[in-house]
Amino acid sequence: MPGEWAVLGLLAEAPGHGFALAKSLAQDGEIGMIWTVPRQLVYRTLGVLEDNGLVRAVATEAGPGPVRTIMAVTPAGRRAVERWLVEPVPHIRDARSLLMLKIVFLERSRYDVRPLLERQRELLLPTLEAARERVEETTGSRRTVEIWRLECVDAVIGFTERMLAVSQVEHGDLVAPGENHPPARPPARTRRPV
């Protein structure tokens, strides 16, 4: 599932062909450093997304190898991405993949990440309290597992709070997904100090 969202998210930024998508999703790519998708899986994912009406072929491009098919997100695909980007992840195990993908795609699209971070934090606060209670109520191996879960939830909440604290974005030019789409390719941005 993260692979499908990664491919769809890239195509929501700009049309592209499988080879270019695979490069972005390689281990050293900006998206690939979060969720790596092997080239053959990129092409299979494009087929699945096309079968589901989320992407479509819009052109072909000649290259040194086979002709490349340029894929673009459909209106249904864009709506799916916009909904997905603003929903917090329900399971802590998805924070490393899905939450990070959402944050990076929001930042790359010049959308405000703070609403997502705030919703994610609020969603996890009751989980944190429940995890603390389970640690106190358990013993042995079960307690070890519960301590691990508690630390994971606490770390993700800490991450959201840190991201909110260091957010130095300008409010005037940021929009929520679905509102006045910014340019498909935002200008290069310098890294903000953490």
Side-chain angles (χ1 to χ4, degrees), residues 13-173:
E13 290 178 348
H17 53 75
F19 186 79
L21 293 168
K23 187 175 179 183
S24 293
L25 294 164
Q27 196 168 15
D28 60 347
E30 186 175 4
I31 301 302
M33 69 180 174
I34 299 166
W35 193 263
T36 302
V37 181
R39 182 175 299 146
Q40 65 273 21
L41 192 52
V42 169
Y43 287 102
R44 189 175 326 146
T45 299
L46 285 170
V48 169
L49 294 173
E50 187 174 28
D51 290 346
N52 289 321
L54 301 174
V55 301
R56 63 183 170 82
V58 293
T60 57
E61 177 183 285
V67 173
R68 297 174 177 168
T69 302
I70 308 297
M71 304 297 286
V73 70
T74 63
R78 182 163 307 282
R79 286 189 303 273
V81 169
E82 290 169 352
R83 281 190 309 268
W84 175 74
L85 283 173
V86 297
E87 296 171 355
V89 297
H91 302 290
I92 196 69
R93 66 180 174 263
D94 295 327
R96 169 63 181 88
S97 55
L98 294 175
L99 179 61
M100 289 299 296
L101 282 172
K102 290 174 188 221
I103 291 169
V104 169
F105 279 125
L106 287 167
E107 289 178 337
R108 286 166 52 112
S109 298
R110 299 183 44 83
Y111 290 135
D112 192 351
V113 300
R114 290 169 299 162
L116 171 64
L117 292 168
E118 290 166 354
R119 283 193 291 276
Q120 189 66 59
R121 181 182 177 280
E122 293 306 311
L123 179 74
L124 292 177
L125 285 175
T127 305
L128 181 65
E129 290 307 312
R132 286 182 177 144
E133 290 174 15
R134 285 192 307 272
V135 166
E136 296 303 318
E137 297 168 355
T138 57
T139 59
S141 297
R142 180 71 179 175
R143 184 177 182 147
T144 301
V145 171
E146 295 301 340
I147 290 171
W148 172 257
R149 289 178 179 160
L150 170 64
E151 293 300 321
C152 290
V153 174
D154 194 43
V156 174
I157 290 173
F159 168 76
T160 61
E161 290 171 347
R162 175 80 183 258
M163 288 292 294
L164 286 164
V166 300
S167 179
Q168 297 177 6
V169 295
E170 295 181 18
H171 304 282
D173 64 345

